[in-house]
Amino acid sequence: MDSCSVGGKGDEICWFCKKGRHSECMKEIPIDAKSEGPHDCTFDTKMIPCKCAH
């Protein structure tokens, strides 16, 4: 497996919603996206909204 791989689909829902704890939804989830940096393993952490429909 590629050590620099980014998580697959389904990562747009926060951990709490995945566990059914919607009242504790994080509202925003940090994701690591490959950046335009000089190395293949340079990541930027971005915040995206939780896409769970509670």
Side-chain angles (χ1 to χ4, degrees):
M1 181 165 190
D2 181 8
S3 64
C4 299
S5 64
V6 177
K9 293 292 181 192
D11 288 346
E12 296 177 347
I13 296 174
C14 77
W15 183 88
F16 293 106
C17 289
K18 286 180 184 175
K19 298 290 183 189
R21 293 164 59 183
H22 301 292
S23 63
E24 298 176 64
C25 177
M26 295 166 63
K27 306 291 190 259
E28 290 191 319
I29 341 165
I31 59 163
D32 288 325
K34 285 192 178 184
S35 75
E36 300 297 319
H39 305 291
D40 289 341
C41 290
T42 301
F43 291 97
D44 285 332
T45 299
K46 297 179 181 179
M47 297 299 284
I48 62 165
C50 179
K51 293 189 177 169
C52 181
H54 316 354

